[in-house]
């Protein structure tokens, strides 16, 4: 009786782990499929596209697609620019959001609840709603009438990195409300006793923040930096509006189909093979996300762990 | 005089210091909030009620009443349809994404071989599924061909959802439910790619539940199934709310309405109409958000 029950339990466990394995393997495949597809497309020769026997592994192995896509996208320069842009906005955003988050969590003053409601509002309002006025504002940037007083005219900040720098210094860049929220939640979870101990030992508010709270906030910082970097890297909404001629990854990608046609037949569209166009485009996408994937492979462990410890949940 | 001294005194105290530093820390954000958020928000509201003419002297804004809203809702051929479609899309997708991500989070929380690999694969969509990549992916021809090939090749593949549908219909399941479920199966990639962050949040939440509760329930004879419904679900229910809000907000950026608003603004230079559309969109999203938050928040369980 006992042994039978035991084996039944064992069987149940086996079945469950089998089902679980199938589910997870299947869904992992669904997630990885587009990437594998792109890798296989990138190393295929044109002629393999029509070959019925080629599905995944190409018959004629080639780097032509990658070379073409790289030269069209101006790859190395673009990569450098994107790294600079994303890195810069990420650092500035993380810094300004950490300050604001700490203030909202611990340095309360009259009206800070109302201001925190403002943070929530920035999360809720879709960026499309305010895009046009912001665009106008940046095209004739006056800092509330200050710049015309000094130089006599407004400054056009579009097509430079200034919009990104300004919005990220002031914690209003892409999804910054969310980052402030993350920091606030995190700092709320840190025991008050730590702060009090620092105060008793003679640390002022500033020293407490920079020397005690900030080093402790490592998981929150990692989370925000990663999210912000990745989202800035992929963002096409702001980059295509603010930057028109500069070479960053997302603008290059969105103009890739057009540039590709120009490259392949000198401006006469429709004469080239649409499948080949699509092939090079897929390669371009792969090239654009490849740095992110490589980065992810290195940081994914701390990424997952830090989110678990951030208290986004709290 | 006395009051000034009092203020001075209080600023020198620790609490006063805190207020000072707090103001200092908030000020960058506040500055940006005014210049890059509040003012544009109000301007956009103003634009939506006006006609705007761009001339060499700059913008000429004249009040036009509700005409932009009327044009957006009654005259423009695309806006109405796309708005309704994308709102329906949100309403349909949100429950699917929430259930799916909770399920996956529970799975990924269990001990099994290769768990860390599985976790990193499941969070990959956080990185990949955003912005341009998604847009370009939709029009990839190569992918299309391969899918065709795959469909022609494998019988199982082609039959999958169809067969499931027939079985369920035969079994007497409601038509709508069947369509909903088979639709979900066919759109599995969309759903998976939209649930990265949600899985992360749920997983983090599940890990904060103290193991003692599970142990105690096991002692009392609860099965894993019961433990899920009686412990895990109530404990993560605040996160269901968080994820609900996140999912709805996240679907803003994926919606075709966003593109329509942008192109009306920047290609046709009809700023007034574009702002009006944006406001209608914002308000309808807020309505969905408010009603669903209201419905869910009554069920949410907070452990005190």
């Amino acid at each position: 009786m006992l042994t039978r029950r035991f084996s039944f339990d064992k069987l149940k466990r086996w079945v469950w782990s089998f089902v679980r394995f199938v589910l997870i393997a299947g869904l992992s495949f669904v997630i990885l499929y587009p990437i594998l597809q792109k890798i296989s497309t990138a190393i295929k020769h044109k002629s393999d596209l029509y070959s019925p026997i080629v599905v995944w592994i190409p018959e004629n192995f080639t780097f032509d697609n990658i070379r073409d896509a790289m030269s069209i996208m101006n790859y190395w320069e673009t990569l450098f620019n994107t790294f600079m842009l994303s890195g810069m906005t990420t650092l500035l955003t993380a810094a300004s959001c950490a300050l604001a988050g700490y203030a909202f969590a611990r340095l309360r003053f009259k009206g800070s609840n109302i201001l925190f409601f403002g943070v929530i509002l920035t999360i809720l309002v879709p960026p499309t709603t305010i895009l046009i006025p912001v665009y106008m504002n940046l095209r004739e940037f006056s800092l509330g009438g200050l710049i015309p007083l000094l130089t006599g005219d407004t400054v056009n900040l579009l097509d430079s990195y200034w919009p990104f720098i300004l919005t990220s210094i002031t914690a209003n860049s892409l999804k910054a409300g969310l980052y402030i929220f993350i920091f606030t939640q995190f700092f709320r979870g840190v025991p008050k006793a730590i702060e009090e101990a620092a105060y008793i030992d003679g640390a002022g508010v500033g020293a407490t923040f920079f020397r005690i709270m900030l080093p402790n906030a490592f998981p929150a910082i990692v989370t925000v930096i990663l999210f912000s970097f990745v989202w800035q890297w992929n963002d096409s909404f702001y980059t295509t509006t603010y930057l028109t001629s500069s070479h960053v990854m997302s603008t290059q990608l969105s103009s890739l189909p057009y540039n590709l046609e120009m490259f392949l037949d000198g401006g006469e569209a429709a004469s080239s093979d649409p499948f080949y166009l699509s092939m090079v485009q897929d390669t371009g996408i792969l090239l654009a996300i490849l740095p992110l994937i490589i980065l992810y492979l290195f940081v994914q462990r701390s990424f997952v762990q830090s989110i678990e410890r951030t208290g986004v949940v709290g | 005089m006395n009051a000034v001294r009092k203020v001075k005194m209080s600023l020198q105290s620790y609490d006063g210091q805190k207020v000072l530093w707090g103001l200092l820390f908030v000020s960058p954000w506040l500055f940006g909030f005014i210049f890059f958020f509040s003012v544009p928000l109000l301007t956009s509201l103003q634009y939506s009620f006006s006609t705007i003419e761009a001339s060499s002297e700059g913008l000429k804004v004249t009040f036009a009443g509700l005409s932009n809203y009327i044009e957006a809702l009654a005259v423009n051929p695309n806006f109405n349809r796309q708005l309704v479609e994308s709102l329906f899309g949100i309403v349909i997708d949100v429950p699917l994404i929430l259930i799916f991500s909770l399920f996956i989070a529970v799975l990924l929380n269990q001990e099994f071989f290769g768990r860390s690999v599985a976790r990193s694969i499941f969070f990959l969509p956080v990185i990949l599924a955003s912005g341009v990549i998604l847009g370009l992916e939709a029009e990839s021809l190569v992918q299309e061909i391969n899918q065709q090939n795959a469909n022609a090749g494998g019988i199982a593949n082609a039959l999958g959802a169809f067969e499931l549908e027939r079985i369920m219909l035969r079994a007497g399941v409601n038509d709508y439910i069947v369509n909903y479920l088979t639709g979900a199966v066919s759109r599995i990639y969309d759903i998976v790619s939209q649930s990265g962050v949600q899985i992360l949040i749920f997983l983090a939440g599940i890990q904060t539940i103290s193991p003692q509760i599970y142990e105690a329930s096991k002692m009392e004879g609860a099965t894993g199934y019961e433990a899920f419904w009686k412990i895990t679900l109530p404990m993560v229910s605040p996160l269901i709310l968080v994820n609900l809000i996140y999912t709805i907000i996240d679907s803003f950026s994926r919606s075709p309405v966003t593109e329509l608003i942008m192109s009306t603004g920047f290609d046709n230079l009809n700023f007034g109409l574009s702002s009006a559309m944006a406001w209608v969109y914002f308000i309808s999203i807020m309505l969905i958000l408010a009603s669903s938050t209201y419905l869910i928040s009554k069920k949410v369980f907070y452990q005190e």
Side-chain angles (χ1 to χ4, degrees):
Chain A
M1 186 70 198
L2 199 71
T3 48
R4 235 166 111 200
R5 185 173 159 70
F6 182 70
S7 71
F8 178 69
D9 269 3
K10 211 173 177 184
L11 182 75
K12 219 167 74 179
R13 214 170 307 139
W14 268 103
V15 168
W16 172 233
S17 45
F18 179 72
V19 169
R20 185 174 55 201
F21 173 77
V22 170
L23 259 175
I24 289 185
L27 286 170
S28 303
F29 178 72
V30 168
I31 294 169
L32 292 179
Y33 179 76
I35 302 174
L36 297 176
Q37 179 85 68
K38 282 192 182 61
I39 295 174
S40 128
T41 310
I43 54 172
K44 247 180 222 172
H45 190 254
K46 219 164 150 183
S47 59
D48 282 359
L49 215 50
Y50 297 106
S51 158
I53 56 166
V54 174
V55 177
W56 286 97
I57 300 164
E59 210 176 7
N60 305 308
F61 181 81
T62 170
F63 279 120
D64 279 3
N65 295 321
I66 296 177
R67 211 191 45 223
D68 280 2
M70 271 188 169
S71 78
I72 295 167
M73 288 170 76
N74 211 343
Y75 190 69
W76 297 112
E77 195 198 327
T78 309
L79 189 68
F80 177 74
N81 285 343
T82 319
F83 250 110
M84 289 303 286
L85 179 66
S86 303
M88 191 174 63
T89 51
T90 299
L91 289 181
L92 293 175
T93 308
S96 58
C97 288
L99 291 180
Y102 184 61
F104 283 125
R106 278 301 157 78
L107 309 172
R108 324 274 311 183
F109 48 88
K110 252 191 199 137
S112 69
N113 270 329
I114 300 168
L115 290 184
F116 192 66
F117 178 74
V119 174
I120 304 290
L121 201 65
T122 58
I123 301 178
L124 295 181
V125 174
T128 1
T129 311
I130 56 166
L131 185 67
I132 288 172
V134 171
Y135 180 83
M136 304 287 212
N137 188 359
L138 289 170
R139 201 176 56 183
E140 284 155 20
F141 192 70
S142 59
L143 206 73
L146 212 64
I147 291 178
L149 271 182
L150 297 174
T151 59
D153 208 359
T154 54
V155 201
N156 183 357
L157 291 184
L158 291 175
D159 213 7
S160 72
Y161 288 160
W162 279 106
F164 297 98
I165 297 175
L166 285 175
T167 50
S168 49
I169 277 184
T170 57
N172 268 274
S173 51
L174 184 69
K175 301 203 187 189
L178 193 64
Y179 308 142
I180 296 181
F181 188 75
I182 291 177
F183 273 122
T184 309
Q185 289 294 79
F186 179 83
F187 284 126
R188 269 189 193 147
V190 178
K192 267 215 167 93
I194 295 180
E195 227 165 291
E196 278 154 14
Y199 174 59
I200 288 169
D201 285 347
V205 181
T208 314
F209 175 69
F210 286 109
R211 295 179 52 191
I212 293 161
M213 296 308 259
L214 215 49
N216 273 319
F218 186 70
I221 295 173
V222 170
T223 312
V224 166
I225 283 184
L226 278 166
F227 272 139
S228 149
F229 188 82
V230 164
W231 280 333
Q232 181 61 49
W233 185 285
N234 286 332
D235 169 59
S236 61
F237 184 76
Y238 284 111
T239 34
T240 46
T241 357
Y242 293 162
L243 293 173
T244 39
S245 62
S246 184
H247 296 304
V248 291
M249 215 50 104
S250 53
T251 55
Q252 284 288 18
L253 261 191
S254 52
S255 58
L256 181 65
Y258 175 74
N259 288 344
L260 191 61
E261 267 170 35
M262 294 308 251
F263 172 78
L264 285 179
D265 42 38
E268 275 177 67
S271 65
S272 55
D273 182 357
F275 287 107
Y276 183 60
L277 288 183
S278 177
M279 200 166 166
V280 180
Q281 190 179 321
D282 271 9
T283 315
I285 296 175
L286 181 71
L287 284 174
I289 55 177
L290 204 59
L292 281 186
I293 296 179
I294 294 170
L295 212 67
Y296 180 71
L297 288 182
F298 284 111
V299 297
Q300 55 94 4
R301 189 166 287 270
S302 67
F303 182 49
V304 175
Q305 274 168 4
S306 65
I307 288 187
E308 281 157 10
R309 286 171 50 206
T310 313
V312 192
V313 261
Chain B
M1 199 59 207
N2 212 353
V4 172
R5 243 189 37 219
K6 221 167 156 187
V7 168
K8 233 178 171 177
M9 280 296 284
S10 75
L11 283 183
Q12 276 160 0
S13 75
Y14 186 55
D15 285 334
Q17 285 268 310
K18 270 187 167 178
V19 170
L20 262 186
W21 279 93
L23 285 172
L24 186 71
F25 280 5
V26 166
S27 58
W29 170 80
L30 189 63
F31 187 77
F33 179 70
I34 292 168
F35 277 95
F36 297 112
F37 187 79
S38 311
V39 172
L41 192 68
L42 293 177
T43 321
S44 140
L45 189 62
Q46 185 207 352
Y47 281 1
S48 72
F49 287 109
S50 355
T51 46
I52 293 146
E53 282 167 60
S55 63
S56 53
E57 273 126 60
L59 292 179
K60 216 176 112 219
V61 181
T62 42
F63 183 72
L66 283 173
S67 70
N68 283 321
Y69 286 90
I70 294 168
E71 193 181 341
L73 290 172
V75 181
N76 193 296
N78 290 326
F79 182 67
N80 240 330
R81 185 173 49 82
Q82 286 192 1
L83 181 70
V84 172
E85 267 172 21
S86 72
L87 291 184
F88 260 109
I90 292 174
V91 172
I92 290 171
D93 274 355
V94 165
L96 282 180
I97 291 174
L98 287 182
I99 293 169
F100 176 78
S101 51
L102 180 58
F103 177 66
I104 294 297
V106 170
L107 270 192
L108 290 179
N109 192 42
Q110 294 175 339
E111 292 282 343
F112 58 89
F113 175 73
R115 179 172 76 165
S116 61
V117 177
R119 278 191 188 176
S120 35
I121 291 175
F122 275 87
F123 301 141
L124 206 56
V126 178
I127 291 182
L128 301 181
S130 54
V132 255
I133 299 161
L134 212 66
L136 285 179
E137 211 147 70
E139 48 198 48
S140 167
L141 277 170
V142 176
Q143 209 135 307
E144 204 96 313
I145 303 180
N146 278 18
Q147 238 141 40
Q148 293 272 323
N149 283 343
N151 278 349
I155 304 166
N157 217 335
L159 284 182
F162 179 66
E163 201 50 31
L164 189 71
E165 197 174 338
R166 252 189 31 200
I167 292 172
M168 280 201 288
L169 280 174
R170 285 248 179 96
V173 183
N174 190 307
D175 245 10
Y176 287 106
I177 299 175
V178 172
N179 284 337
Y180 187 63
L181 288 180
T182 50
V185 172
S186 327
R187 283 180 307 124
I188 188 76
Y189 180 70
D190 293 334
I191 291 169
V192 174
S193 67
Q194 284 186 49
S195 7
V197 175
Q198 288 88 330
I199 295 174
L200 213 55
I201 292 176
F202 273 138
L203 188 60
I206 291 172
Q207 287 181 341
T208 59
I209 304 174
S210 75
Q212 285 101 314
I213 303 181
Y214 286 107
E215 264 168 45
S217 76
K218 214 172 179 182
M219 295 280 207
E220 305 280 351
T223 58
Y225 180 78
E226 280 165 341
F228 172 78
W229 290 105
K230 298 265 160 74
I231 300 170
T232 314
L233 194 65
M235 292 298 269
V236 297
S237 61
L239 298 183
I240 296 181
L241 193 63
V242 171
N243 273 338
L244 173 87
I245 296 171
Y246 180 84
T247 314
I248 293 176
I249 291 170
D250 191 43
S251 32
F252 292 156
S253 50
R254 299 167 191 272
S255 144
V257 177
T258 310
E259 247 164 67
L260 181 70
I261 293 170
M262 295 266 280
S263 72
T264 317
F266 289 102
D267 301 341
N268 305 339
L269 296 175
N270 197 341
F271 293 140
L273 180 61
S274 167
S275 303
M277 284 176 175
W279 273 88
V280 171
Y281 187 45
F282 171 46
I283 288 166
S284 40
I285 298 255
M286 278 305 110
L287 286 179
I288 291 186
L289 205 58
S291 50
S292 51
T293 308
Y294 175 73
L295 281 180
I296 298 243
S297 63
K298 284 203 295 195
K299 304 266 179 203
V300 167
F301 168 82
Y302 287 101
Q303 192 196 24
E304 293 301 335

